Amino acid sequence: MSKKAKWMGIVMSMAIAAVPLVVVPAQQGYANASSTASVMSTPEVIDRLHTIVLPEHGIKLIDLNSVFDRKYKEFRVTYTDSIDASVAKFNNEFLSKGLLYIEAISSGKAAFTVTAMKREGTGTQTDSVDVIVVPADGYTRFDIAKAIELMGIVPAKYQTKEQVKELISTIKPITVNVDESYNQEGNIAPKQAVSSPPIEAIRGIDKRDFEIQERIYDYFRDPNEDQLDLVITSTDENYVHLTNEYRGSLFVGQHLTFIKAGQTEISVLVKDGKGGITAGKIPIDIRNNEIRIAETISLDMESSHTVDLRDYFPEMNAPTFVLDEFPPNYEGEKIIAGNNYTFYLHPGTYKIRATDSQKTEHQEFIVKESDRLKDRNVLSKSSLSLDIKSFFLSDAPNSAFTYSYKQQGSSVTGITYEAGADDYLYINTDNAQQGYPISTRVAVTAKDIANHHIYVDTIKVQLYEKSLSSIGNKQIMDVSRLFEGIDWNDVVITTSPNITASRVPSGNSYVVELSGASSGTLVISYKGSKIVHVIPFGN
């Protein structure tokens, strides 16, 4: 294998990541395969990787994005001979992140090829490299006399005084965090900064890797002022759980889950994009979630919602409550006398403080305006059904609603409601009082517990007298009030058997012509079963 004469030996004794090492012999194919790279063209052969010398148990890290052209984003490693896997291993987890992680296993020589592929389209680059592993005394130093044994393994490499001198200088017993051999000319790898304040985190609230990335310059400096990028390699699982995210085989990011309050560190690799890599740590200060996830309350103009504040502070013993923050120009109640507080439609953020003999905690509430159900008109001696769940569709993750209802004025109007097990609301006017117009109100509360969102929407149900007139052998029913403001093209009319119903324009709305029988049932539906009026007529 023809390689440049330059030798590199850098020992990284710092523990990198406690993740399994995956050996990838040639017959196993891709270490990070992708369907987009399945069609291989003739590769472009480059010569940027050089012979690597490591002591037993030594570790080498190379930023492949600085070795190969930037358009190549996926990588595979193949051994020339499967027996080479007993000399050095490669870490598949790091390879997916664009890092070549080599661990020296036992003394000897391994040859392998790195192939870089595009994520889309065709085209590859390849580079071949030898790894020579030297017998070592311990993990951080090795006997320089062992270098003489290396000369016997590859004697052709050590014919001149300069060759031997380069070998001796390469394998000196030092601990190094910087892969200078793969830096671009004149580049200096990033350095860990002098101590900086820790990143604050809240137990139970995850952080994505880009949120850590935003603070990278607080903890690392680059002498060349290059843009830095990091990969999280490990955490103390007692405090923080690290999740690597993939889309198929493509690495797309990481996120941290904070398990327990306390001080800890996360281990990272910091790259400058020009070959410089530094291993380091970032301090994390994890605190208990004193401010809980904000509860959002969406109201219409006629609605309010009362909360029992003890439900939000279940671990506290007989706390007292204070409204610490409220929206500008808020003129509502600002003193919390007991355990309940009622929110009205004054949009904004409210913060309530709870205090007992042991501690103080806070809960935020966000009030928004929402009117999903709208007011409805009904006819006498008829019924209305509303598919409530169709009005509360949500894009929020794991969204699942529970519903409750409260009516005002049923004893006065005789308009009644029933909550169906199928999340339908049924309004009935069979026993409604005479005299028009009369109305009632039904407050619908929809709770999305998983996403901390409560909707309260009050429907005004307005009753109108059923109007039925005859013209010849046809009966005419005025239904114009039932779907005010709705596109009648989405309305479907059906009737009892042997009755024909047709929709006839009347001004800006419609009436229904009925023929074939003097009595029956008219059903008018909007968008399937979202809104359905059932109207008996005749005797």
Side-chain angles (χ1 to χ4, degrees):
M1 181 181 300
S2 174
K3 303 302 296 178
K4 294 180 181 177
K6 185 176 181 181
W7 288 70
M8 300 176 298
I10 294 175
V11 181
M12 184 179 287
S13 62
M14 178 178 292
I16 304 297
V19 291
L21 292 167
V22 179
V23 180
V24 188
Q27 63 268 27
Q28 288 184 323
Y30 288 97
N32 185 29
S34 171
S35 59
T36 60
S38 59
V39 179
M40 302 293 292
S41 60
T42 302
E44 175 190 356
V45 179
I46 63 174
D47 187 18
R48 296 171 188 162
L49 294 170
H50 310 291
T51 301
I52 298 169
V53 179
L54 288 172
E56 291 175 344
H57 310 295
I59 291 173
K60 181 76 167 180
L61 271 167
I62 299 170
D63 181 5
L64 294 176
N65 291 309
S66 67
V67 175
F68 295 93
D69 293 350
R70 292 277 179 179
K71 58 187 176 183
Y72 299 100
K73 295 296 184 182
E74 298 188 28
F75 306 95
R76 68 171 180 175
V77 176
T78 53
Y79 292 103
T80 301
D81 191 321
S82 60
I83 197 172
D84 292 348
S86 64
V87 176
K89 292 182 180 180
F90 304 93
N91 187 296
N92 188 51
E93 192 72 34
F94 280 86
L95 192 63
S96 67
K97 300 167 188 172
L99 294 168
L100 179 61
Y101 177 109
I102 306 171
E103 182 185 23
I105 304 302
S106 61
S107 58
K109 176 185 173 184
F112 63 91
T113 299
V114 180
T115 301
M117 301 159 287
K118 297 178 182 178
R119 286 179 182 163
E120 297 180 357
T122 60
T124 59
Q125 286 185 327
T126 64
D127 201 344
S128 299
V129 66
D130 292 340
V131 175
I132 297 177
V133 179
V134 183
D137 294 335
Y139 287 78
T140 59
R141 66 183 183 85
F142 50 93
D143 188 348
I144 204 67
K146 298 291 185 180
I148 305 302
E149 297 181 22
L150 178 63
M151 296 181 192
I153 299 175
V154 281
K157 297 283 188 178
Y158 304 103
Q159 297 299 314
T160 69
K161 178 179 177 181
E162 288 301 313
Q163 287 175 326
V164 174
K165 180 179 178 181
E166 186 170 17
L167 170 65
I168 298 300
S169 64
T170 297
I171 59 175
K172 56 188 177 181
I174 60 175
T175 298
V176 183
N177 289 336
V178 181
D179 186 357
E180 295 177 350
S181 302
Y182 290 93
N183 285 346
Q184 295 179 9
E185 184 175 355
N187 186 55
I188 302 175
K191 307 290 184 183
Q192 179 98 42
V194 180
S195 65
S196 297
I199 292 176
E200 294 183 358
I202 302 297
R203 180 172 61 87
I205 301 179
D206 291 4
K207 282 187 182 292
R208 301 297 303 272
D209 49 1
F210 64 81
E211 296 178 81
I212 307 298
Q213 173 77 34
E214 290 172 352
R215 294 285 304 277
I216 191 172
Y217 297 102
D218 291 341
Y219 306 101
F220 295 89
R221 300 284 186 269
D222 188 82
N224 305 101
E225 298 185 352
D226 295 322
Q227 182 174 338
L228 301 181
D229 187 26
L230 65 78
V231 174
I232 304 168
T233 57
S234 67
T235 64
D236 182 342
E237 285 285 339
N238 292 317
Y239 291 90
V240 185
H241 176 69
L242 171 64
T243 301
N244 294 308
E245 300 173 341
Y246 294 88
R247 187 178 298 116
S249 63
L250 180 63
F251 172 74
V252 294
Q254 300 172 295
H255 74 264
L256 299 171
T257 300
F258 302 102
I259 300 168
K260 185 174 71 173
Q263 302 280 336
T264 187
E265 293 178 318
I266 58 173
S267 297
V268 298
L269 290 175
V270 177
K271 306 179 294 179
D272 63 10
K274 296 180 179 179
I277 302 177
T278 295
K281 294 182 180 294
I282 293 178
I284 305 289
D285 181 12
I286 307 171
R287 302 179 181 180
N288 285 318
N289 190 1
E290 295 180 355
I291 298 181
R292 287 140 170 84
I293 298 173
E295 187 88 348
T296 301
I297 301 174
S298 294
L299 305 171
D300 66 2
M301 290 294 293
E302 298 183 61
S303 299
S304 63
H305 182 65
T306 300
V307 297
D308 186 337
L309 295 171
R310 293 171 297 183
D311 294 340
Y312 295 89
F313 304 93
E315 299 177 358
M316 301 187 74
N317 183 25
T320 57
F321 303 102
V322 175
L323 181 62
D324 273 347
E325 297 180 16
F326 41 84
N329 304 317
Y330 179 61
E331 297 179 356
E333 183 60 60
K334 299 174 184 176
I335 304 298
I336 304 176
N339 298 315
N340 297 333
Y341 190 75
T342 300
F343 293 94
Y344 298 90
L345 184 57
H346 191 115
T349 300
Y350 300 73
K351 183 182 288 186
I352 292 178
R353 168 166 40 99
T355 304
D356 66 5
S357 59
Q358 301 295 322
K359 57 186 175 181
T360 296
E361 297 184 3
H362 296 82
Q363 174 66 49
E364 283 189 356
F365 295 86
I366 301 172
V367 174
K368 296 182 176 181
E369 184 173 4
S370 174
D371 187 8
R372 297 194 174 203
L373 292 173
K374 310 299 182 183
D375 293 342
R376 301 293 166 193
N377 297 329
V378 294
L379 300 181
S380 59
K381 304 296 182 181
S382 71
S383 65
L384 164 67
S385 66
L386 300 172
D387 181 4
I388 294 297
K389 59 182 179 296
S390 69
F391 291 91
F392 291 95
L393 299 177
S394 173
D395 294 329
N398 304 314
S399 180
F401 286 92
T402 59
Y403 304 98
S404 60
Y405 307 89
K406 184 177 181 180
Q407 185 179 9
Q408 305 167 6
S410 59
S411 61
V412 175
T413 65
I415 302 173
T416 60
Y417 85 94
E418 179 182 353
D422 50 0
D423 294 329
Y424 276 77
L425 175 63
Y426 299 94
I427 305 292
N428 189 280
T429 66
D430 284 348
N431 299 312
Q433 299 294 321
Q434 297 299 313
Y436 306 96
I438 59 174
S439 64
T440 189
R441 286 172 170 78
V442 179
V444 179
T445 300
K447 292 185 177 181
D448 183 0
I449 296 175
N451 294 290
H452 301 272
H453 201 147
I454 299 172
Y455 297 83
V456 185
D457 202 327
T458 299
I459 312 170
K460 179 183 178 182
V461 180
Q462 183 79 48
L463 179 66
Y464 289 91
E465 184 175 9
K466 187 189 308 175
S467 174
L468 193 65
S469 58
S470 297
I471 300 178
N473 62 350
K474 295 181 180 181
Q475 298 187 79
I476 308 298
M477 184 181 297
D478 183 3
V479 295
S480 59
R481 295 183 183 274
L482 300 184
F483 292 103
E484 291 179 345
I486 286 178
D487 185 354
W488 276 80
N489 290 322
D490 293 324
V491 174
V492 175
I493 299 175
T494 58
T495 63
S496 305
N498 303 319
I499 297 178
T500 301
S502 57
R503 188 177 64 192
V504 178
S506 175
N508 295 326
S509 187
Y510 293 89
V511 296
V512 175
E513 288 186 354
L514 302 163
S515 61
S518 60
S519 64
T521 301
L522 176 66
V523 179
I524 307 178
S525 306
Y526 172 72
K527 288 192 173 181
S529 60
K530 187 172 184 177
I531 304 173
V532 179
H533 289 270
V534 178
I535 311 168
F537 64 92
N539 298 328

